[in-house]
Amino acid sequence: KQEVTQIPAALSVPEGENLVLNCSFTDSAIYNLQWFRQDPGKGLTSLLLIQSSQREQTSGRLNASLDKSSGRSTLYIAASQPGDSATYLCAVKDDYKLSFGAGTTVTVRA
Amino acid sequence: EAGVVQSPRYKIIEKKQPVAFWCNPISGHNTLYWYLQNLGQGPELLIRYENEEAVDDSQLPKDRFSAERLKGVDSTLKIQPAELGDSAVYLCASSSSGGIQETQYFGPGTRLLVL
């Protein structure tokens, strides 16, 4: 069974600092990995999707890397803003199923 | 374009009562998912539909949970009877075809509290 772990569980940084969020998974036979954002009381919004053949994906201030062989992904958020405060979840897809980590809750202090 | 719609957004019931959640996926999306998200955890898949067929319900506790997707569009998830441990957020998601590379789009969820 795929196990997805996210460390740290919570993170608090001052505005402007770069954020580094980590995700690890136990079975490297995945099709893709996604990073999601979840705001309190809201559903999940997809941020980035990295195919298994890719090493990284970028969108604006967000950059996600994937090392499938070691079972790791990292989400970088440059120059953090208070609006980046949310819970960030990673999910890996094997077969047709998404397996999620528990998330990292980020607070960006103004 | 409207996203995935779920109702109700919040529900409070007493244990042993029945409860139902409704989901309307994005127009044209053939694949529909129901997830359970416990506090502080990531979502876990309960059931996946391709059109009106439940193609993966292995994680659905069938003694008390049931789901249907009549006509392959809207879906209803039911719990009867509810237990205290069912308090959680129930998320619905949809994707265009359910293919391996497809992105899933999530609704806002229904937050259930069982007293």
Side-chain angles (χ1 to χ4, degrees):
Chain A
K1 179 187 174 186
Q2 181 75 264
E3 300 287 343
V4 182
T5 303
Q6 292 188 246
I7 295 173
L11 189 59
S12 179
V13 299
E15 183 177 3
E17 191 164 303
N18 296 332
L19 288 164
V20 180
L21 308 179
N22 297 301
C23 172
S24 62
F25 47 95
T26 54
D27 187 345
S28 61
I30 64 170
Y31 291 102
N32 59 51
L33 182 145
Q34 273 185 279
W35 283 93
F36 291 87
R37 169 182 172 140
Q38 187 172 31
D39 293 283
K42 303 286 182 64
L44 280 69
T45 301
S46 180
L47 298 174
L48 291 168
L49 184 151
I50 311 175
Q51 305 293 357
S52 61
S53 58
Q54 296 178 312
R55 297 283 291 183
E56 66 177 335
Q57 193 69 249
T58 298
S59 176
R61 294 184 295 111
L62 276 61
N63 174 275
S65 65
L66 173 63
D67 184 342
K68 202 173 74 161
S69 61
S70 67
R72 296 179 187 275
S73 176
T74 302
L75 177 67
Y76 301 89
I77 303 177
S80 62
Q81 305 168 358
D84 294 328
S85 298
T87 297
Y88 292 83
L89 297 100
C90 73
V92 298
K93 195 163 197 180
D94 45 23
D95 197 3
Y96 291 92
K97 182 181 170 183
L98 277 177
S99 297
F100 284 85
T104 295
T105 298
V106 171
T107 302
V108 180
R109 308 186 303 272
Chain B
E1 178 182 284
V4 176
V5 179
Q6 291 186 247
S7 70
R9 294 294 312 280
Y10 304 92
K11 189 74 176 179
I12 300 174
I13 61 171
E14 294 188 347
K15 64 180 180 181
K16 301 184 181 179
Q17 294 300 306
V19 64
F21 314 126
W22 176 81
C23 173
N24 180 241
I26 292 173
S27 178
H29 280 193
N30 297 323
T31 307
L32 184 145
Y33 311 79
W34 281 103
Y35 287 87
L36 163 68
Q37 185 175 24
N38 286 304
L39 186 65
Q41 301 297 317
E44 298 177 9
L45 181 68
L46 289 173
I47 189 168
R48 174 170 67 96
Y49 281 94
E50 294 287 350
N51 298 304
E52 65 273 12
E53 181 183 359
V55 294
D56 183 359
D57 63 356
S58 58
Q59 302 302 310
L60 190 72
K62 298 180 184 65
D63 56 336
R64 297 184 300 107
F65 286 65
S66 64
E68 60 182 13
R69 191 184 184 198
L70 301 175
K71 301 181 181 179
V73 181
D74 295 1
S75 177
T76 303
L77 178 68
K78 299 178 182 178
I79 308 175
Q80 183 170 9
E83 297 179 352
L84 296 178
D86 296 331
S87 296
V89 176
Y90 293 82
L91 294 164
C92 179
S94 69
S95 64
S96 177
S97 67
I100 288 171
Q101 308 298 351
E102 287 284 329
T103 296
Q104 296 179 25
Y105 296 86
F106 284 79
T110 295
R111 189 173 300 271
L112 173 67
L113 178 60
V114 182
L115 302 175

